[in-house]
């Protein structure tokens, strides 16, 4: 049985590139993201807020759907979350290792 779990706000997904505390979307149906984990790695992300609809454009470059009460901010947060998802997919949890950066830079001198 597949079980999706709530992705906590302190998960590295929310800080891989942008530091975000919300996730936007075309509608505000759910205040959190859910994920499917495989060996403690986030493998699938589920949003009830229609992220794809918030960034969808028509053939003339205009927005295909209204984002409701969230407006431009919701659309911006959707793009930021999308970039964070891509960075997480490419780099996993490298951002959690940022605590070691000062030591790495000191050793390079």
């Amino acid at each position: 049985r597949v079980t999706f779990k709530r992705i906590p706000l302190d998960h590295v997904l929310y800080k891989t590139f942008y530091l975000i505390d919300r996730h936007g979307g075309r509608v505000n149906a759910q205040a959190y993201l859910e994920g499917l984990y495989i060996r403690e790695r986030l493998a699938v992300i589920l949003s009830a807020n229609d992220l794809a609809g918030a960034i969808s454009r028509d053939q003339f470059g205009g927005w295909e759907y209204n984002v409701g009460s969230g407006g431009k901010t919701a659309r911006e947060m959707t793009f930021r979350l999308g970039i964070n998802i891509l960075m997480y997919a490419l780099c996993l949890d490298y951002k959690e290792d940022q605590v070691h950066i000062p030591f790495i830079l000191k050793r390079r001198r």
Side-chain angles (χ1 to χ4, degrees):
R1 180 171 183 235
V2 176
T3 304
F4 282 85
K5 297 179 187 173
R6 184 183 292 207
I7 301 172
L9 284 176
D10 63 346
H11 191 277
V12 70
L13 177 68
Y14 291 102
K15 57 187 170 184
T16 57
F17 188 79
Y18 288 107
L19 297 175
I20 58 176
D21 59 358
R22 55 190 164 186
H23 46 79
R26 189 179 64 81
V27 295
N28 191 12
Q30 190 168 293
Y32 56 90
L33 297 173
E34 294 179 300
L36 175 65
Y37 292 83
I38 298 175
R39 292 190 210 131
E40 299 186 27
R41 297 277 191 201
L42 187 55
V44 177
I45 299 169
L46 179 66
S47 172
N49 296 354
D50 190 13
L51 300 175
I55 62 174
S56 180
R57 293 195 180 251
D58 63 21
Q59 62 187 3
F60 302 109
W63 299 113
E64 198 162 19
Y65 302 105
N66 184 0
V67 289
S69 63
K72 290 182 181 180
T73 303
R75 201 178 305 276
E76 177 70 23
M77 294 312 293
T78 304
F79 276 104
R80 289 181 182 204
L81 177 63
I83 290 169
N84 277 13
I85 290 170
L86 289 173
M87 291 297 292
Y88 182 79
L90 294 171
C91 305
L92 293 177
D93 59 358
Y94 84 99
K95 199 71 167 187
E96 291 287 86
D97 295 331
Q98 293 295 312
V99 70
H100 302 293
I101 293 291
F103 302 107
I104 293 169
L105 292 175
K106 188 175 182 180
R107 191 172 53 180
R108 287 181 56 188
R109 295 182 188 163

